[in-house]
């Protein structure tokens, strides 16, 4: 390495030292909340209604 190359390398390392103290990672104080509004009742009710209708049709004499 030439004298100018060493000088540039030392300058780059010295310039990076103050940046090391600027990076802070902290966990959040409050938990992260993800709200998902998923409506599955319609499908479940539909399936139950269809199954009940089939059961009634198959066993009409019971009802």
């Amino acid at each position: 390495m030439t004298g100018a190359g060493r000088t540039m390398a030392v300058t780059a390392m010295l310039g990076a030292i103050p940046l090391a103290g600027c990076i802070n990672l902290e966990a959040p104080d409050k938990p992260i909340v993800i709200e998902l509004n998923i409506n599955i009742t319609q499908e479940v009710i539909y399936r139950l209604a269809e199954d009940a209708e089939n059961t009634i049709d198959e066993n009409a004499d019971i009802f």
Side-chain angles (χ1 to χ4, degrees), residues 1-59:
M1 212 184 249
T2 63
R6 272 189 232 149
T7 304
M8 289 176 64
V10 170
T11 304
M13 287 190 305
L14 290 175
I17 290 173
L19 294 177
C22 296
I23 300 172
N24 294 327
L25 295 177
E26 295 181 14
D29 294 336
K30 298 178 182 177
I32 298 172
V33 177
I34 301 173
E35 294 184 25
L36 297 175
N37 295 324
I38 301 173
N39 186 0
I40 60 169
T41 56
Q42 183 178 4
E43 182 178 351
V44 171
I45 291 171
Y46 178 75
R47 286 185 184 177
L48 289 175
E50 184 179 0
D51 187 43
E53 184 179 344
N54 291 339
T55 303
I56 291 170
D57 290 343
E58 291 172 1
N59 303 303

